[in-house]
Amino acid sequence: METPAQQMEAPAQQMETPTQQMETSTQQVETSTQQMETSTQQVETSTQQMETSTQKIETFSQQIEASLLQSTPSQAKPSAADVANASLDRKQSTDPIIIEGGTFEQLTNEVTTKHGYLNRKKLFDPNGKKSATRQWAQVYVMMQNHKLYFYRDHKTAREAGVKPINIFNMVHATVRVATAYQRRKFVIEVTAQFGEQFYLQADTQKMMDDWYISLYRGIEKANEEYKKNPSAFQLPASQLSPGSSPQPKKVHKRKESTASAMDSDDDEPEDAIESNSKNIRNRLNKLVSRRSTMEQLKMKGIYKDQVLVFGCTLEKLCQKEKVSIPKFVSLCMQEVEKRGLNSVGIYRLSGNTAEITKLRYLVDQDEPYTLSDVQWDDINVITGALKLFFRELPNPLIPNNLFDKFIEAGRIPDTPKRNATLAKCIKELPKVNHAILVALLTHLRRVIERSEENKMQAQNVAIVFGPTLMRTDDPLLIATLAPVQNNIVQNLLTDFNKIF
């Protein structure tokens, strides 16, 4: 049997084992921490090396820029448009043109051939006539020797036996930045001596500068080679495709204003607009001088000197028609009650504006019309015309001089008092306005009675007619008083028998 001392040693040994495990874990954590610190130091070292390399690159770039500008006189750099629009005979000038990266001569001497995607827009065909296809299209352009080859894409350009869409002879051509073309950026204008002209658009400013330099140098070299051997510049008939450049003929210079002014995009340059202003002014003067007088229009029956329906005062219109309610208003309400009471959203939905305008013209010109005709099949056109009639009244159906009184009455919280006050205001209405308001409210109550079908309750109808039947001239109060106006119209509809 074990002694008591041995029995106590066993649990003690078991307690030592977890303590050793904890010490081992602590050592592992310390080792991992040291490794992380070492990695951090390595990262910091790499960052310092990268910063040193970046500084060296910046220093090297500054040295290159300084060396490029040593041979250039100190002067202000012109814009890209000033550089690009320099003419081909600028050799007479001794001052170098400076652009980004060096002088114009330094850069052009390095460019011989070029290819890539550009957007092209034809302006004039080789025969000098305005091009029939004047839309922008992406093309793959290859400049080789003295020609520009246009392909649909780079794949067809590399396929054997595929003819280009267009071949442009660069001899005696001109190139410039199309500063007058404002609809797109980075556009170059290329013009042949015999009249062919087109735009080329690049994606960036740098890309446009590169293409301009290449075209400039290509035209220059083509002119030099043409002087040496003119016969080498004749294109065989097999190489010509529709729209290709013919053999150079007599030099025919086109003014930029002429080409740009005939552009179908209506983006005429300022000089073209100025040159055509006199012609436009003369045409307008002739048109005005040939215009018939008011008396002549009346004699021909074109203009009828009569009281219009829309925009006329209610009193004047009713006197002319000898009725208490305008005929157009009565016809519209009758047609709606005949076939529109079950139409969902009646008076809330808007009709076709063109049809409403057409109906208004017939009514104003006293032309014969029938609202039951098939051309007025859309009931919303009729309701839209009726709402337009009330909106265009010089003085609303609830006159401006009574507007404040109606607003004060509408703000009374007690319903019986509010109805009594509204009844007093109604009595102050002119007879014509009173008769029309009673007829209109009676009609709208018939619409509300069918609300289960047309979804137009009293509140919905009031929202539509509130700003129409009464309005204020103060724009600051329109939004503030709109809820009060709507409540007044709703009150007139729901408590019609008590107020009237």
Side-chain angles (χ1 to χ4, degrees):
M1 295 180 62
E2 293 181 356
T3 62
Q6 291 176 346
Q7 292 177 354
M8 293 178 63
E9 289 177 358
Q13 292 175 356
Q14 293 177 356
M15 293 177 61
E16 290 177 358
T17 300
T19 303
Q20 292 174 357
Q21 292 177 353
M22 291 177 63
E23 291 177 354
T24 303
S25 300
T26 304
Q27 291 175 358
Q28 291 177 353
V29 171
E30 291 177 354
T31 303
S32 301
T33 304
Q34 292 175 357
Q35 291 176 353
M36 290 177 65
E37 291 177 354
T38 304
S39 301
T40 304
Q41 292 175 357
Q42 292 176 353
V43 171
E44 292 177 353
T45 304
S46 300
T47 303
Q48 292 175 356
Q49 292 176 353
M50 291 177 65
E51 291 178 353
T52 304
S53 300
T54 303
Q55 292 176 356
K56 290 181 180 180
I57 292 172
E58 292 178 354
T59 303
F60 183 68
S61 300
Q62 293 174 358
Q63 292 175 354
I64 292 175
E65 292 179 358
S67 61
L68 288 174
L69 296 176
Q70 282 178 355
S71 60
T72 304
S74 177
Q75 57 181 338
K77 294 185 179 181
S79 62
D82 295 333
V83 175
N85 289 331
S87 60
L88 291 177
D89 58 354
R90 62 169 301 277
K91 292 182 179 180
Q92 299 176 359
S93 174
T94 58
D95 296 332
I97 296 179
I98 301 173
I99 60 178
E100 183 178 357
T103 63
F104 185 84
E105 286 78 6
Q106 288 173 347
L107 293 176
T108 53
N109 289 334
E110 298 175 1
V111 181
T112 55
T113 60
K114 194 171 182 63
H115 59 88
Y117 281 98
L118 292 172
N119 294 321
R120 181 180 67 162
K121 176 178 181 177
K122 291 184 179 181
L123 300 177
F124 293 91
D125 291 330
N127 54 13
K129 293 184 179 180
K130 187 177 180 180
S131 177
T133 57
R134 299 170 64 84
Q135 301 297 326
W136 285 97
Q138 187 182 59
V139 291
Y140 186 77
V141 187
M142 294 182 62
M143 189 184 75
Q144 295 180 353
N145 299 327
H146 59 276
K147 303 182 186 72
L148 287 177
Y149 298 88
F150 296 92
Y151 294 89
R152 297 186 186 278
D153 50 48
H154 67 282
K155 295 181 179 179
T156 55
R158 296 173 182 174
E159 293 180 4
V162 178
K163 293 183 180 180
I165 301 173
N166 178 243
I167 302 175
F168 180 78
N169 198 323
M170 300 171 66
V171 178
H172 300 311
T174 58
V175 59
R176 65 190 310 276
V177 172
T179 54
Y181 190 83
Q182 301 295 331
R183 288 183 173 245
R184 294 196 179 198
K185 295 181 179 180
F186 318 128
V187 178
I188 301 172
E189 181 186 279
V190 182
T191 307
Q193 62 162 341
F194 39 75
E196 183 176 6
Q197 188 179 62
F198 53 85
Y199 286 151
L200 294 176
Q201 183 201 16
D203 293 334
T204 62
Q205 180 69 42
K206 184 178 183 303
M207 185 177 176
M208 184 192 74
D209 293 339
D210 292 343
W211 270 102
Y212 175 80
I213 293 169
S214 300
L215 292 170
Y216 179 96
R217 185 58 180 166
I219 293 172
E220 192 177 51
K221 293 188 70 174
N223 293 339
E224 294 175 357
E225 294 178 8
Y226 179 76
K227 292 179 182 178
K228 297 177 183 178
N229 187 11
S231 60
F233 287 80
Q234 295 183 2
L235 292 176
S238 60
Q239 292 185 5
L240 289 173
S241 59
S244 301
S245 304
Q247 181 66 19
K249 298 179 181 180
K250 183 179 178 181
V251 175
H252 174 65
K253 294 184 179 180
R254 273 196 162 315
K255 292 184 179 180
E256 179 199 359
S257 60
T258 305
S260 300
M262 297 182 67
D263 193 354
S264 63
D265 284 342
D266 296 331
D267 47 359
E268 295 183 341
E270 294 181 0
D271 53 352
I273 296 176
E274 184 177 357
S275 62
N276 293 332
S277 61
K278 294 183 179 179
N279 294 333
I280 296 174
R281 191 180 296 109
N282 293 334
R283 291 178 182 178
L284 290 174
N285 290 334
K286 291 180 181 179
L287 178 63
V288 173
S289 63
R290 293 197 303 265
R291 186 176 179 180
S292 302
T293 61
M294 187 65 68
E295 288 72 15
Q296 292 173 339
L297 293 175
K298 291 179 182 178
M299 292 177 63
K300 294 177 181 179
I302 299 175
Y303 177 81
K304 298 179 180 180
D305 188 8
Q306 60 181 6
V307 178
L308 301 179
V309 176
F310 286 80
C312 181
T313 62
L314 293 174
E315 184 179 1
K316 190 174 182 180
L317 181 60
C318 290
Q319 287 179 355
K320 180 221 172 191
E321 296 180 350
K322 298 180 180 179
V323 292
S324 58
I325 301 173
K327 293 180 181 179
F328 177 71
V329 175
S330 299
L331 291 175
C332 287
M333 293 190 298
Q334 292 172 9
E335 194 66 26
V336 171
E337 293 177 8
K338 179 180 178 182
R339 57 184 177 95
L341 292 180
N342 60 345
S343 178
V344 177
I346 189 72
Y347 283 112
R348 178 175 58 82
L349 298 179
S350 300
N352 184 278
T353 305
E355 295 297 324
I356 293 174
T357 305
K358 182 179 179 181
L359 178 58
R360 171 185 177 169
Y361 174 81
L362 294 176
V363 174
D364 277 342
Q365 295 299 316
D366 198 19
E367 298 287 342
Y369 66 93
T370 304
L371 295 181
S372 58
D373 193 88
V374 66
Q375 63 177 327
W376 316 120
D377 185 58
D378 185 4
I379 195 66
N380 295 319
V381 172
I382 297 176
T383 58
L386 180 60
K387 290 187 293 183
L388 180 64
F389 170 84
F390 285 110
R391 281 199 305 270
E392 294 201 354
L393 288 175
N395 201 7
L397 187 58
I398 297 179
N400 292 330
N401 62 331
L402 297 176
F403 179 83
D404 293 336
K405 291 185 178 182
F406 272 88
I407 292 297
E408 292 177 2
R411 285 174 171 170
I412 298 175
D414 184 67
T415 302
K417 291 183 179 180
R418 183 172 60 251
N419 291 341
T421 307
L422 287 174
K424 293 180 181 179
C425 295
I426 293 295
K427 292 180 180 179
E428 296 184 35
L429 289 173
K431 293 183 179 181
V432 174
N433 296 53
H434 186 278
I436 297 174
L437 181 60
V438 171
L440 179 62
L441 292 176
T442 303
H443 164 70
L444 294 178
R445 282 167 58 83
R446 295 192 180 102
V447 173
I448 296 170
E449 290 174 357
R450 304 281 291 273
S451 61
E452 292 185 1
E453 300 175 55
N454 56 41
K455 310 301 180 185
M456 292 297 292
Q457 291 84 9
Q459 182 180 4
N460 304 117
V461 175
I463 292 174
V464 174
F465 280 91
T468 302
L469 301 184
M470 55 185 300
R471 57 179 180 265
T472 176
D473 295 331
D474 191 346
L476 300 177
L477 298 177
I478 292 177
T480 306
L481 298 179
V484 183
Q485 296 172 234
N486 299 342
N487 291 335
I488 293 173
V489 175
Q490 183 178 352
N491 214 149
L492 294 176
L493 289 169
T494 55
D495 297 331
F496 178 83
N497 295 327
K498 297 178 181 180
I499 297 174
F500 290 88

